Amino acid sequence: MAVPVGNVVAYVAVCAGPLVGFWLASKLPRLADALVDHYRSRRPVPEGPPIERIAADLRRVRLALERIPPRAPALRRRATEQAYDALLAQACRAVGEPQWLDTVPEGLEHEAERLRVEESLHRCGILR
């Protein structure tokens, strides 16, 4: 007596199907971890120094700016302000915050933009 091939295939599928299904389910966590690792490795590598170093430099230059005596040369104050603004802009780029310190002309608008950027970085936890 000959057994139809279709019946044999159906019998194997019914017997082996749950086994294969449970085996695949046991492999899903490892597959999910591999996919997550794959997509993490595709993230862009940050450019520039670490944010911790930028934050330390910001605090150091801010303190130097606050400690400039009133009768100090204007060139010294201006150079320190420019260094501070450059560090603020670098910190904003590192955390993805918008800033317009480079485009706003000197004066009251520039001071207001500096205060806005400082507050934004304070909310991000970079400035204290």
Side-chain angles (χ1 to χ4, degrees):
M1 170 162 136
V3 177
V5 176
N7 289 344
V8 173
V9 171
Y11 178 75
V12 170
V14 166
C15 291
L19 179 65
V20 171
F22 283 118
W23 180 79
L24 286 174
S26 72
K27 301 298 179 189
L28 280 178
R30 187 179 293 171
L31 178 63
D33 289 341
L35 285 173
V36 167
D37 290 342
H38 173 72
Y39 285 109
R40 278 188 188 146
S41 66
R42 293 179 62 187
R43 288 184 184 164
V45 177
E47 297 178 9
I51 193 66
E52 294 85 3
R53 181 174 172 196
I54 296 172
D57 289 345
L58 267 172
R59 287 190 293 273
R60 181 180 48 80
V61 174
R62 185 179 192 180
L63 185 63
L65 189 59
E66 291 171 354
R67 290 185 176 174
I68 293 178
R71 294 183 181 248
L75 181 62
R76 180 178 169 194
R77 176 173 295 283
R78 183 69 192 119
T80 309
E81 285 176 349
Q82 286 178 344
Y84 186 62
D85 288 346
L87 284 169
L88 286 172
Q90 189 176 22
C92 284
R93 281 190 299 275
V95 297
E97 288 290 321
Q99 60 84 21
W100 296 276
L101 287 168
D102 304 333
T103 59
V104 176
E106 289 299 319
L108 190 58
E109 291 178 20
H110 191 83
E111 293 293 324
E113 176 62 14
R114 184 182 295 141
L115 288 173
R116 188 196 66 77
V117 168
E118 286 175 339
E119 178 59 29
S120 176
L121 292 175
H122 178 72
R123 279 186 271 122
C124 290
I126 294 174
L127 286 178
R128 296 182 196 150

